[in-house]
Amino acid sequence: MIELDELLMQLWPLAQQHEALVETLPLKQVYGRVLAASQRSAIAVPQHDNSGMDGYAVRCADFLQGLEFSVSQRIPAGQTPEPLEPGTVARIFTGAPIPLGADAIVMQEDTELLDDGRVRFKGLPKLNDWIRRAGEDIARDQVVVEAGAVLNAVRVALLASIGIAEVPVYRPLQAGVMVTGSELKNPGSPLEPGQIYNSNEFVWLGLLKQLGCEVRSVGIVPDNLPDTVAALKSLSDCDLIISSGGVSVGEEDHVKPAVEQVGELRAWKVAMKPGKPMAFGKIERAGRSPCWFFGLPGNPVSSALAFQLVVKPFADLLSGRPLQTADWRARMVPVTAQFDWLRPDTRREEFLRVRVESGVAHLFANQSSGVLTSLDQSTGVVRLMAGQTVAPGDVLPYVSYQELMK
Ligand code: AMP
Ligand code: MG
């Protein structure tokens, strides 16, 4: 058996060597993509000191002479002002550049327009009031979005705010999906005796889409070697294939021999529960990085968790995201157990499904790896070492499903 930490350590360098393809796209097409090169600003934002209010640009020292001034110029946004004439004020509007010599803005509400066109101020201005300084948002030459960042709405807007029209981004990962099992049936028709509905495919399609992958699925593959080989071959131009079921040691488990036939296989028993049997391999692609293969257990909970704990970080690295987003272990937080767990697995670490509310973890009663409802009714998992028991009040490391998929 291999420890999960050891497995991740072996897998990640392989994913980091993978050559992700880059394309340059206009900003409006990059939402959800991973940025391939850090972007610096060629300008300061804002470019000029400007007014944060509709009101008057003033020189504070002039107020020694009184509170009434004539208006020497009018500065709407988008206009270049003249220097402020001493002893006068300038009418100014939000976003307009501050005239040379002015050192505060007084908002319109704190003034009164006199009949002779002059302005009376209700009080003394404060130095620098309502002046937005050049570069206070972004300095010239500052890195605004780092390579490896997922381009969400705000980051795309940040790039727009520094005048960048197109950026290099990684191509979406091509992911292939297959689910093995002669007992499987797709939803839409009634089950015959001994059959079960295929749900794993539907978990994965959703999770892979969430990761921004382009997904191709061959659906259900019956338990025999020729069909399993054919399914693998038909997906072998993908960057990544995920397969469920058929990785145990039974006579109906054909996934490992099939991978050996078309590529290279490394099979593991991972010392974790749920999700022990796991297969990993690769299929060479001419002139490109290989197609990576993950054979996950068939049990719905095992397959979903193995995806989130092992495949998702690997896929992150394949698609150019940095190790910080891949390594969910660094994002675990302490929670207080509200339950006891007295019969631990002595050889495998365990991930228990729990519902966390206000830092307190409640155990989902049925921890069987076949119970898909447990994933819906829990918020995440706590991680126990092999042999670890739990008593109420114990503090445990926890990661939510939401955090796992970030
Ligand atoms: P296996 O790993 O092929 O031995 O499958 C383990 C268990 O998971 C069996 O009870 C299967 O029926 C179930 N299973 C396998 N594939 C799926 C699937 N696609 N959807 C739901 N359950 C599955
Ligand atoms: Mg099976």
Side-chain angles (χ1 to χ4, degrees):
M1 280 207 292
I2 182 172
E3 297 296 326
L4 176 62
D5 285 334
E6 174 63 28
L7 172 67
L8 295 175
M9 255 186 23
Q10 289 191 18
L11 287 178
W12 290 356
L14 299 175
Q16 284 172 307
Q17 282 162 24
H18 188 88
E19 227 171 282
L21 301 180
V22 173
E23 60 189 337
T24 296
L25 290 178
L27 278 197
K28 287 181 182 169
Q29 291 172 32
V30 301
Y31 291 101
R33 294 291 196 94
V34 178
L35 186 64
S38 295
Q39 300 294 305
R40 282 178 191 279
S41 180
I43 58 168
V45 180
Q47 279 210 285
H48 309 283
D49 292 354
N50 68 84
S51 175
M53 276 288 167
D54 290 339
Y56 296 89
V58 304
R59 187 185 342 244
C60 292
D62 288 348
F63 282 72
L64 292 171
Q65 268 111 60
L67 290 173
E68 289 173 12
F69 295 89
S70 59
V71 180
S72 56
Q73 63 175 315
R74 189 172 181 280
I75 317 166
Q79 198 148 304
T80 311
E82 298 293 323
L84 183 64
E85 215 173 284
T88 73
V89 298
R91 181 79 173 110
I92 197 166
F93 299 89
T94 306
I98 307 289
L100 201 70
D103 52 19
I105 301 296
V106 176
M107 66 166 106
Q108 186 169 309
E109 291 84 341
D110 294 339
T111 67
E112 190 185 326
L113 201 54
L114 303 177
D115 289 341
D116 61 4
R118 291 183 313 141
V119 185
R120 176 187 295 139
F121 290 78
K122 295 178 184 168
L124 293 176
K126 271 202 252 81
L127 200 65
N128 295 322
D129 247 12
W130 299 113
I131 297 182
R132 303 195 287 215
R133 291 295 172 193
E136 76 175 20
D137 186 0
I138 297 165
R140 184 194 292 256
D141 216 33
Q142 180 182 331
V143 171
V144 170
V145 188
E146 303 256 7
V150 176
L151 294 172
N152 61 19
V154 169
R155 290 177 182 149
V156 174
L158 271 172
L159 294 169
S161 80
I162 57 174
I164 289 179
E166 51 177 41
V167 284
V169 290
Y170 291 105
R171 292 256 181 92
L173 216 58
Q174 308 287 314
V177 168
M178 53 190 268
V179 291
T180 73
S182 298
E183 77 281 25
L184 298 177
K185 189 138 193 184
N186 277 322
S189 46
L191 293 178
E192 276 155 45
Q195 292 185 324
I196 61 160
Y197 284 121
N198 158 31
S199 62
N200 290 350
E201 185 186 358
F202 292 87
V203 175
W204 291 351
L205 293 183
L207 295 178
L208 287 164
K209 290 228 169 90
Q210 215 176 310
L211 295 181
C213 298
E214 281 172 8
V215 190
R216 203 160 89 221
S217 180
V218 297
I220 297 170
V221 180
D223 288 316
N224 66 65
L225 188 59
D227 281 327
T228 312
V229 168
L232 277 175
K233 281 189 176 158
S234 76
L235 294 172
S236 62
D237 56 334
C238 293
D239 299 302
L240 176 71
I241 299 175
I242 311 167
S243 148
S244 93
V247 286
S248 301
V249 290
E251 281 150 36
E252 297 301 330
D253 294 325
H254 300 282
V255 169
K256 288 188 280 190
V259 174
E260 272 173 330
Q261 205 162 312
V262 298
E264 268 174 55
L265 172 80
R266 280 193 227 167
W268 286 296
K269 288 191 179 106
V270 185
M272 67 185 265
K273 192 180 174 180
K276 180 165 78 173
M278 220 179 276
F280 173 74
K282 64 176 179 181
I283 304 170
E284 293 300 339
R285 293 187 295 184
R288 295 175 65 185
S289 291
C291 161
W292 302 99
F293 173 83
F294 282 93
L296 304 184
N299 276 312
V301 174
S302 313
S303 93
L305 273 181
F307 181 96
Q308 292 180 307
L309 298 173
V310 180
V311 180
K312 190 271 182 181
F314 193 87
D316 271 358
L317 297 173
L318 287 186
S319 53
R321 297 181 73 185
L323 201 56
Q324 299 100 274
T325 58
D327 197 347
W328 49 266
R329 293 171 301 180
R331 301 201 298 274
M332 296 197 97
V333 294
V335 292
T336 306
Q338 169 66 285
F339 59 91
D340 50 37
W341 185 251
L342 300 173
R343 281 168 298 142
D345 194 293
T346 52
R347 298 180 57 216
R348 296 186 284 164
E349 64 172 294
E350 289 186 84
F351 288 89
L352 300 180
R353 280 146 273 160
V354 294
R355 171 165 208 94
V356 168
E357 277 155 14
S358 315
V360 175
H362 308 269
L363 188 71
F364 185 80
N366 188 343
Q367 294 286 323
S368 152
S369 60
V371 183
L372 195 52
T373 46
S374 68
L375 289 181
D376 190 40
Q377 288 164 34
S378 57
T379 55
V381 287
V382 288
R383 188 180 190 187
L384 303 188
M385 292 175 294
Q388 184 178 348
T389 56
V390 178
D394 284 0
V395 174
L396 303 170
Y398 165 79
V399 64
S400 68
Y401 303 126
Q402 221 177 354
E403 194 64 50
L404 279 174
M405 286 306 293
K406 268 190 186 161

